[in-house]
Amino acid sequence: MKRILNLEGAINLRELGGYPTEDGTTIKYNKLLRSGDIINLTRNSLSYLKKYGLRYVVDFRSNQEQQTWADTTSDFYKIYSDPVYPLKGNGDKLAGIINQGDYSYLGMIYQSVVLDAHGQLAYKILFDLLLDNDKPEQSLLFHCAAGKDRTGIGALLILKALGVDDETITKDYLLTNLMYEDDTTIENTLNDKDGNQDINRMNMTKGDLQSITSVFKAIDHYYGNFDNYLDKALGIDKTKLAKLKSIYTE
């Protein structure tokens, strides 16, 4: 099954099924999709996604982005507004401590997001919806604008929770760079001259290994391990984690 879904009007739309976990299971196909915005999906693309089983769409974009570029709506899925930004700001301070002066732009942003109270709330909502998506042959899509940063962090958290190893998670994140080898794609479609310039800058910055691996380090530094982070920051205790694995792995 293809990992990259080249549907008409889709941006960076990818299947997360098929990845192996450290428990010896595999992530189910037709359950999880990550994407850039879905504002230009065509009738053919919607027909494909209906057959795919799409029921939940989680939109990480800011309220302004959602109003300026509204998602394509349909009768077979529900859109959940779940803005990652604006952050409260407490994550910036914590990320600064872990970096100790070694500042990588994306790394700092990513660490701030996973450590920030509002960022954590946004991903807690994502995980609550993941738990709701427990019917067979039904799937959930989560997205931002480019499908790289806010979506990349979402994918990292989901894959890590399901037991995928860090190297595989990193490779999945870096796949975005293949989707955006031509920078004009982002320049022409995703930058809002009147919008949040931090988001614009993120969209124009290619993903790199150091930035994504720094997220693992920040979580371990402040929470001891990832399971503690799931429990304390996202409300996913052992019982919910077992349910999550039963829904998305086989």
Side-chain angles (χ1 to χ4, degrees):
M1 196 158 180
K2 290 197 301 184
R3 184 150 311 285
I4 297 169
L5 303 181
N6 291 315
L7 302 188
E8 297 169 349
I11 294 177
N12 198 8
L13 176 59
R14 311 210 306 261
E15 164 75 61
L16 285 180
Y19 284 129
T21 75
E22 293 174 332
D23 299 331
T25 61
T26 303
I27 295 182
K28 295 176 183 176
Y29 284 104
N30 289 63
K31 289 298 289 182
L32 286 167
L33 290 170
R34 54 172 294 173
S35 180
D37 74 46
I38 59 166
I39 66 176
N40 293 311
L41 294 179
T42 65
R43 186 178 299 175
N44 287 341
S45 297
L46 289 170
S47 176
Y48 180 96
L49 290 170
K50 185 174 184 178
K51 291 175 185 172
Y52 183 95
L54 184 60
R55 293 293 181 275
Y56 297 79
V57 171
V58 184
D59 188 349
F60 291 142
R61 297 175 302 162
S62 66
N63 288 325
Q64 179 181 337
E65 290 173 282
Q66 292 181 30
Q67 290 163 11
T68 306
W69 300 287
D71 276 348
T72 300
T73 58
S74 187
D75 59 358
F76 63 87
Y77 59 75
K78 181 175 179 180
I79 299 169
Y80 295 84
S81 174
D82 187 19
V84 171
Y85 296 105
L87 302 179
K88 289 186 177 295
N90 59 310
D92 295 348
K93 300 178 182 68
L94 297 173
I97 293 169
I98 189 72
N99 274 274
Q100 296 178 333
D102 182 19
Y103 295 101
S104 152
Y105 178 71
L106 281 183
M108 279 290 293
I109 292 289
Y110 292 173
Q111 291 169 57
S112 296
V113 168
V114 298
L115 299 172
D116 184 90
H118 181 76
Q120 291 176 354
L121 176 61
Y123 292 109
K124 181 183 186 303
I125 291 170
L126 168 67
F127 272 79
D128 287 344
L129 291 169
L130 288 170
L131 288 167
D132 286 344
N133 180 38
D134 58 357
K135 303 288 189 301
E137 300 179 6
Q138 290 190 4
S139 61
L140 178 148
L141 179 151
F142 57 99
H143 80 91
C144 54
K148 174 170 71 76
D149 304 303
R150 291 163 285 186
T151 298
I153 293 169
L156 176 154
L157 296 174
I158 293 169
L159 294 176
K160 182 81 169 169
L162 294 176
V164 176
D165 67 89
D166 292 357
E167 183 180 358
T168 301
I169 293 171
T170 301
K171 286 179 179 176
D172 180 79
Y173 166 77
L174 292 173
L175 265 180
T176 290
N177 289 342
L178 295 178
M179 309 299 294
Y180 289 117
E181 288 183 306
D182 178 6
D183 287 343
T184 59
T185 303
I186 297 177
E187 187 75 55
N188 293 337
T189 62
L190 298 176
N191 278 352
D192 175 13
K193 68 182 189 319
D194 300 318
N196 185 313
Q197 295 308 306
D198 286 336
I199 293 174
N200 286 345
R201 183 177 170 190
M202 275 196 306
N203 286 342
M204 289 302 295
T205 305
K206 292 214 171 196
D208 67 272
L209 187 63
Q210 180 191 14
S211 295
I212 202 69
T213 53
S214 74
V215 177
F216 301 130
K217 293 176 184 174
I219 288 173
D220 285 346
H221 179 81
Y222 286 106
Y223 289 86
N225 58 58
F226 191 77
D227 282 351
N228 279 344
Y229 177 81
L230 284 176
D231 187 9
K232 305 299 182 190
L234 305 184
I236 301 297
D237 59 18
K238 289 181 179 179
T239 301
K240 289 182 178 178
L241 184 57
K243 181 183 177 186
L244 202 68
K245 289 181 177 180
S246 73
I247 295 170
Y248 293 98
T249 64
E250 58 188 4

